[in-house]
Amino acid sequence: MMLRWSYAVLLFAVPSLAASPPFVGYSARASAQQAEWERKFQEGVSPEEIRATLRHLSARPHHVGSPYDKENAEWILGKFKAWGFDAKIETFDVLFPTPKERVLEMLAPTVFHATLEEPTVAQDPTSGQKSEQLPTYNAYSADGDVTAPLVYVNTGSREDYELLDRLGVSVKGAIVIARYGESWRGTVPKVAAERGAVGSIIYSDPEQDGFRKGDSFPKGGWRPAGGVQRGSVMDTDYPGDPLTPGVGATPGAKRLKLSEAKTITKIPVLPISYSDALPLLSALAGPVAPAQWRGGLPITYHVGPGPARVHLKMASNWDIKTIYDVIATLKGATAPDEWVIRGNHHDAWVNGADDPLAGQVALLEEARNLGALHAAGWNPARTIIYCAWDGEEPGLLGSVEWVETHSSELKQHTVAYINSDTNERGFLSAGGTQDLQRVVSDVAHGVQDPETPMSVWKRAHLAAIAAAKDPDERADLRKRNDLVLDALGDGSDYTSFQDFAGISSVDLSFGGEDDGDQYHSIYDDFYWYSHFVDTDFVYGRALAQTAGSAVMRLADADIVPFDYAPQAAAIAKYEDELEKLVKDKQEESAERATELEEGVYTAVNDPRRPLPPPPAEAMPPYLNFAPLKNALDALQASADHYSHALEQFEARGSPSLPLASRALVNADLIRVSRLFLNPKGLPERPWFKNQIYAPGAYTGYGAKPIAAVREYLDENRWQEADAQVPQVAQVVLNAAAGIEQAARDFEAAQDALH
Ligand SMILES: [Zn+2]
């Protein structure tokens, strides 16, 4: 039913692209042709093709090192070749541990042996492929064999331990049990080890993705009692192969010894289901867990320590495995040395229908249609490179090693990188560098939402208004015609492009209306996906239409369609957040001192269950943000200058510029995002070169813009934060100068026509 209705909507509601004003960066003539090619492209994208490809690629488990991982890479290679791409496989040899021995048992007060296994579900045909499934584990866990009392630490974040301190509970010498939650899984063993714990366990609580959300699998789509979230716990110093930081894991590369690899955890860690966690949590005594720490299980959550005493053993095979990146090129006709790169990983933890194949099959459907357009006479101006990455799940291995290997040519040639990964039903979500905000938004205006009579832009825009926190934010959103791109950290394969090579990047997906979640489980497979997620594959079509049109738009524009005004505004906002953070901490510190003095904590404390007050904190000093604010003024001025040059181009009727002057302006534009790099990297994570866009050391996937300053602020290291401000200001000034150059060359190119 839904399918027929959505097709009907498509027939009458797709806006006529040809009648619109020229696309940004396009001459009027090129724009009209482009609209026609993009319309043909979008019409060709087929949900049936997407379904068939997803079924094929998810038919067997395909993690790094498995036979089907290699078979999939070769199958994808064959498809790219058949569609007219110049395609090859690039291999890298990387450290990829797999479990040799896993034991988790409770020795007291009762004896219990954890199953450490996800049960087969009769209706789900691939859930029984036991011999090919990776066991449940966290990759890059240290080996260890420990017996200790158990402590419940909520999600295991640093804030959780501050509350444990006040409860008088120490994890020194203990094994901690945390629930998966907002904080990233690698934070659990990292902070636990910093606090002196000897082992760690992470379980999936039904409140997060189980029966508290909806019916559990197979009746519904939510994680069942035996479902386990695998995942990497590689530390945050650098992504990619732990043995070859900063360089490609090629045959001749210099490799660290295993003992020298900084990104392997310090203590063992195992992920478990809530059916394995329930007996352990039920056996804890000690303080009742604070209200916000309680999950969805039918028990009173206690913190411990003990009396539950647990034996945890984890040992891995520390093998080097070969990974297979498929790289497919469609050479540009007029600007072959300018590259537009599109990627999605193909490896999974198990069958991986949603993660990553929902994104991978959209990517392949784009490539199939671009190949067909190419055969019908469409020749992209720039070179288009499609990448199917291997080894993303363990630590972005395929994309990081490839970018490290080719970093100098990538920095020289790459216009932008477009990433996707998982894909579900619902709203378009786009994150990235905001120089791409305008072009991505323009593309989203021209893609039809599959289930409502509006564009994917309109739907995401209205959803953002509905979710806005206050009237000011709503008013601001209502004035916008674009989609705000939030900064990216390191959650997927854009990381090395953006954070290491300074390449403008965007990450696209649909989601938010899911009837389930089986993240990194054996149940993330074709049966589950086609019953509970994008059941008619129309959001796969929407992703292919959005990402593929963005590739085409970037590949064919006369002038690379960057606009820096949204980026200057975003970076100014990140600077505001730094100042606000200091101000909030000053106010908090003053308020806490007052409350300690007037006895607030004593008054609200239950004398029978006393919770000691938090410690007094030293008052943060004022910091000098002036150098950064001055640099941001310069960035704003040059961004305005470039926007003005674009407006002037449009006001002149978007004339065709000679190839040579286009090449000059485009070279300026391609260079700008590289200017945000500092070759020395972040002060304590030198792999991360980008001074604006980076993840946090403790936040995992999430972004921490201006991390060089922000990380020190979060740790109350004021002098070090202050010392970083001038060097961030310098990269902003460099970028401002680069944009100014582009604006001048663009204006001169236009003036030369008259
Ligand atoms: Zn993924």
Side-chain angles (χ1 to χ4, degrees), residues 345 355-356 392-393 421-422:
H345 69 103
D355 183 5
E392 190 269 357
E393 292 296 357
D421 194 326
T422 58

Side-chain angles (χ1 to χ4, degrees), residues 100-162:
K100 186 159 69 181
E101 197 180 355
R102 302 167 305 144
V103 177
L104 176 62
E105 54 195 359
M106 183 162 62
L107 309 175
T110 54
V111 173
F112 166 73
H113 299 277
T115 63
L116 306 181
E117 180 157 335
E118 299 186 277
T120 298
V121 166
Q123 299 90 313
D124 178 350
T126 62
S127 69
Q129 296 170 327
K130 291 286 168 197
S131 66
E132 290 185 82
Q133 290 166 0
L134 265 181
T136 53
Y137 79 124
N138 289 128
Y140 305 103
S141 161
D143 287 352
D145 187 350
V146 291
T147 301
L150 193 65
V151 177
Y152 175 58
V153 297
N154 192 31
T155 64
S157 70
R158 290 195 289 183
E159 294 71 29
D160 291 331
Y161 284 91
E162 283 165 20

Side-chain angles (χ1 to χ4, degrees), residues 577-746:
E577 287 167 3
L578 298 179
E579 289 194 61
K580 185 169 181 301
L581 194 72
V582 177
K583 192 158 170 284
D584 287 353
K585 285 206 176 202
Q586 287 171 334
E587 282 170 8
E588 245 168 64
S589 164
E591 174 64 21
R592 187 177 291 183
T594 306
E595 290 187 6
L596 284 168
E597 202 181 296
E598 67 195 358
V600 164
Y601 292 99
T602 319
V604 300
N605 224 340
D606 179 344
R608 290 192 191 170
R609 281 185 289 270
L611 185 65
E617 277 186 346
M619 175 65 81
Y622 291 100
L623 304 192
N624 181 16
F625 288 104
L628 186 49
K629 291 165 80 114
N630 289 326
L632 284 164
D633 278 356
L635 185 70
Q636 183 70 57
S638 60
D640 288 346
H641 187 184
Y642 188 79
S643 297
H644 180 258
L646 262 178
E647 280 163 25
Q648 185 188 292
F649 176 68
E650 284 157 21
R652 285 171 162 169
S654 303
S656 289
L657 298 173
L659 209 53
S661 49
R662 279 191 250 162
L664 178 69
V665 177
N666 287 328
D668 290 342
L669 294 169
I670 288 171
R671 195 171 137 261
V672 168
S673 64
R674 253 63 99 200
L675 299 171
F676 289 119
L677 302 177
N678 178 338
K680 285 195 291 208
L682 297 178
E684 297 184 18
R685 288 177 295 156
W687 186 90
F688 292 90
K689 310 293 185 200
N690 198 316
Q691 299 299 306
I692 304 300
Y693 305 99
Y698 288 83
T699 50
Y701 302 156
K704 235 184 210 190
I706 320 184
V709 179
R710 178 73 185 260
E711 291 271 291
Y712 285 133
L713 294 184
D714 285 342
E715 299 193 3
N716 300 346
R717 292 161 70 176
W718 313 110
Q719 282 185 351
E720 286 148 302
D722 202 49
Q724 288 297 320
V725 172
Q727 72 86 17
V728 178
Q730 188 57 53
V731 301
V732 172
L733 285 176
N734 296 347
I739 295 168
E740 191 60 30
Q741 183 68 45
R744 281 201 217 111
D745 285 340
F746 193 13

Side-chain angles (χ1 to χ4, degrees), residues 232-557:
S232 176
V233 285
M234 183 187 278
D235 205 352
T236 49
D237 297 75
Y238 53 89
D241 176 28
L243 303 184
T244 59
V247 298
T250 51
K254 190 169 175 294
R255 283 177 165 74
L256 300 177
K257 288 200 273 284
L258 185 55
S259 60
E260 298 167 327
K262 278 172 76 182
T263 53
I264 292 158
T265 66
K266 305 286 182 290
I267 57 172
V269 52
L270 256 187
I272 62 173
S273 66
Y274 77 75
S275 68
D276 273 345
L278 186 56
L280 306 180
L281 292 167
S282 308
L284 283 174
V288 171
Q292 66 276 23
W293 285 30
R294 300 167 200 162
L297 292 170
I299 55 166
T300 301
Y301 286 67
H302 287 262
V303 171
R309 196 172 165 76
V310 167
H311 173 217
L312 169 67
K313 181 169 185 192
M314 176 67 205
S316 287
N317 303 299
W318 293 92
D319 295 333
I320 302 289
K321 296 276 161 113
T322 301
I323 54 170
Y324 304 88
D325 288 343
V326 191
I327 310 292
T329 303
L330 206 55
K331 198 166 183 203
T334 54
D337 290 335
E338 297 172 12
W339 302 348
V340 176
I341 307 182
R342 164 84 174 100
N344 195 110
H345 69 103
H346 68 76
D347 69 298
W349 279 118
V350 197
N351 298 73
D354 186 8
D355 183 5
L357 293 177
Q360 178 63 230
V361 297
L363 175 149
L364 291 172
E365 182 60 4
E366 292 160 44
R368 185 180 75 83
N369 280 282
L370 294 186
L373 288 193
H374 189 50
W378 171 69
N379 282 301
R382 301 190 170 81
T383 293
I384 293 174
I385 304 175
Y386 267 67
C387 309
W389 307 117
D390 200 353
E392 190 269 357
E393 292 296 357
L396 317 176
L397 306 175
S399 55
V400 168
E401 299 311 316
W402 191 76
V403 169
E404 288 176 343
T405 301
H406 301 288
S407 72
S408 62
E409 48 181 330
L410 287 168
K411 283 181 186 169
Q412 196 186 337
H413 298 294
T414 310
V415 171
Y417 174 68
I418 300 173
N419 190 71
S420 58
D421 194 326
T422 58
N423 196 56
E424 291 141 19
R425 267 184 75 231
F427 309 95
L428 173 63
S429 159
T433 55
Q434 295 84 5
D435 48 354
L436 289 166
Q437 185 163 306
R438 180 164 174 192
V439 65
V440 168
S441 303
D442 285 355
V443 165
H445 274 276
V447 176
Q448 177 66 42
D449 182 74
E451 297 185 3
T452 64
M454 58 182 91
S455 71
V456 296
W457 172 79
K458 183 87 178 173
R459 197 162 180 228
H461 175 71
L462 294 177
I465 290 172
K469 288 185 297 292
D470 55 56
D472 285 353
E473 193 186 336
R474 272 194 294 278
D476 176 57
L477 282 168
R478 287 196 171 107
K479 279 184 273 178
R480 307 197 74 100
N481 196 31
D482 63 356
L483 206 59
V484 175
L485 300 189
D486 287 331
L488 298 172
D490 67 349
S492 189
D493 291 305
Y494 47 75
T495 304
S496 48
F497 288 91
Q498 176 191 267
D499 300 349
F500 182 78
I503 291 167
S504 300
S505 299
V506 66
D507 184 58
L508 300 170
S509 65
F510 287 85
E513 295 188 319
D514 326 324
D515 285 323
D517 190 355
Q518 303 294 345
Y519 186 50
H520 293 180
S521 154
I522 63 169
Y523 312 118
D524 176 6
D525 59 15
F526 187 81
Y527 177 89
W528 170 78
Y529 192 85
S530 58
H531 280 78
F532 300 106
V533 192
D534 185 17
T535 52
D536 45 15
F537 297 87
V538 288
Y539 281 94
R541 178 180 65 198
L543 178 61
Q545 288 172 330
T546 308
S549 300
V551 167
M552 295 177 74
R553 195 73 59 90
L554 284 160
D556 284 332

